[in-house]
Amino acid sequence: MIRAAVVGANGYAGAELVRILSGHPDVELTAITSRQYAGNAFDSIYPALSTVVDLNFIDNDTETISKAADVVFLALPHKASMGMAPALLDAGLRVVDLSADFRFHNQAAYEAHYQPHSCADRLPQAVYGLCEVYGQQVAGADLIGNPGCYPTSVLLPLLPVVKAGLIDPATIIADCKSGVSGAGRGATATTHFCHVNESFKPYKVGGHRHTPEIEEKLSDCAGKPVRITFTPHLVPMTRGMQSSIYATLAPGVDAAQVRSCLETAYAGRPFVRLLPDGRWPDTLHVKGTNFCDIGWAVDPGTGRLILLSAIDNLVKGAAGQAVQNMNLMVGLDETVGLDTVPFPL
């Protein structure tokens, strides 16, 4: 059995990790941490898991965690993860970080949008954990930068067509919508029920911190700098993320070539579902699962490709993808513990 610890298990992504790992047949969940709730039972904060998870929160002590676990999931805010990861790695543990601290290889890009990096020497060691694209590098890795939720929903549809040269990457526009859980457990004026209910609004327009993460991976794929227009929106639902992505097709490219490209890229990939013509991704259909549903169409009047995707922002966009990464890191099938059957309604 793989001994696993979740640091920051009181947050939404951390709690989702606890839920998934508690049902993983090859994992023993040995430690869950929270500075705020140390000493309290997990089910006192999340009663839904009463009788399922019988653990108390402990403090974020790296020595205690190192003795209790083989793999550690850091479900912490940006900057907090980089403070813990080096000691855990030096103790021989494998680390999956759900913050942005190890998603970038370009230190300057990270620091321009977050804060100074205290262990930039570890960035070359980190693997970007988009399993469907970087799975070979993930296998056997010691440090994973788990992708952000918006980047996951944008990159999975885009990367294959960019790599194949089917679109003009200078024309990419990503219009994305997320449920409120993507903002985290801490309530703010903008995420309070009274401000979210009966509301649909954009936020961080022209300056969201996921933009450079998306651009770094697209640039690597295209072999040249790529800049995109990315606008996120908040919708009044708990979980779910839908992305509508627009780009001009390269001359002579049609919808059949797009389908062939995506089918080749994701053949045998269990968590990417390519939808038939005329069916569009719906957040309801991926709720609670690690699936990314992808659809597309070509606008004949403009020659633009319309790519559409839907994920559960807490699963494929966070905890589920993190467990998928762990599975590959330790040599398990990537689907183990993630074979949740979707709700039909």
Side-chain angles (χ1 to χ4, degrees):
M1 297 290 283
I2 301 156
R3 300 176 304 155
V6 178
V7 178
N10 57 302
Y12 289 148
E16 196 76 356
L17 275 165
V18 172
R19 178 185 73 85
I20 295 170
L21 292 169
S22 66
H24 195 297
D26 295 302
V27 168
E28 179 187 3
L29 187 60
T30 55
I32 57 173
T33 86
S34 168
R35 292 190 187 282
Q36 182 179 4
Y37 296 107
N40 291 292
F42 181 80
D43 64 7
S44 70
I45 310 301
Y46 291 102
L49 274 76
S50 178
T51 74
V52 176
V53 178
D54 185 22
L55 286 173
N56 289 352
F57 292 104
I58 62 173
D59 205 353
N60 296 352
D61 178 67
T62 54
E63 184 176 353
T64 301
I65 296 166
S66 297
K67 293 176 180 177
D70 306 305
V71 176
V72 178
F73 296 88
L74 299 178
L76 294 170
H78 314 306
K79 195 171 186 178
S81 289
M82 71 174 79
M84 291 190 68
L88 297 169
L89 291 165
D90 289 344
L93 278 70
R94 286 175 166 163
V95 175
V96 181
D97 176 33
L98 279 73
S99 82
D101 287 357
F102 297 99
R103 293 176 189 162
F104 290 78
H105 284 157
N106 185 330
Q107 179 184 349
Y110 173 87
E111 294 183 342
H113 293 85
Y114 292 89
Q115 62 270 315
H117 207 295
S118 62
C119 54
D121 59 307
R122 302 280 183 165
L123 293 178
Q125 176 185 358
V127 173
Y128 190 68
L130 193 64
C131 298
E132 286 76 14
V133 179
Y134 304 105
Q136 289 186 338
Q137 295 97 306
V138 169
D142 295 321
L143 176 59
I144 297 294
N146 208 60
C149 48
Y150 281 123
T152 297
S153 72
V154 171
L155 291 172
L156 283 174
L158 265 180
L159 285 174
V161 297
V162 169
K163 184 177 181 180
L166 300 186
I167 63 170
D168 177 358
T171 65
I172 297 171
I173 297 172
D175 178 60
C176 306
K177 295 91 177 172
S178 175
V180 184
S181 60
R185 191 165 183 265
T188 68
T190 56
T191 60
H192 189 284
F193 175 82
C194 296
H195 294 281
V196 174
N197 186 45
E198 302 294 340
S199 169
F200 171 56
K201 56 180 175 285
Y203 65 100
K204 296 183 180 177
V205 177
H208 196 283
R209 294 189 296 188
H210 281 174
T211 304
E213 179 183 338
I214 297 169
E215 289 178 342
E216 181 176 275
K217 304 312 169 190
L218 288 174
S219 298
D220 290 345
C221 181
K224 60 182 180 182
V226 174
R227 298 290 177 263
I228 71 168
T229 298
F230 166 59
T231 304
H233 299 75
L234 193 65
V235 296
M237 62 184 186
T238 299
R239 61 166 81 204
M241 179 168 286
Q242 195 277 335
S243 292
S244 300
I245 305 155
Y246 309 93
T248 300
L249 285 169
V253 175
D254 59 21
Q257 290 170 273
V258 174
R259 173 171 289 280
S260 177
C261 174
L262 291 170
E263 287 178 344
T264 299
Y266 294 125
R269 304 306 310 199
F271 294 122
V272 174
R273 301 192 298 192
L274 303 179
L275 304 185
D277 293 341
R279 185 188 299 174
W280 314 118
D282 186 326
T283 59
L284 180 66
H285 302 157
V286 296
K287 183 178 180 180
T289 79
N290 202 49
F291 289 121
C292 175
D293 285 359
I294 298 175
W296 62 92
V298 173
D299 182 344
T302 63
R304 291 193 186 100
L305 173 65
I306 305 168
L307 290 164
L308 305 155
S309 72
I311 63 172
D312 185 318
N313 59 292
L314 291 179
V315 187
K316 186 59 173 171
Q321 185 151 244
V323 173
Q324 186 181 358
N325 275 302
M326 179 206 70
N327 285 340
L328 291 175
M329 291 169 81
V330 301
L332 295 173
D333 187 280
E334 63 188 305
T335 63
V336 178
L338 294 168
D339 50 357
T340 304
V341 177
F343 293 104
L345 297 174

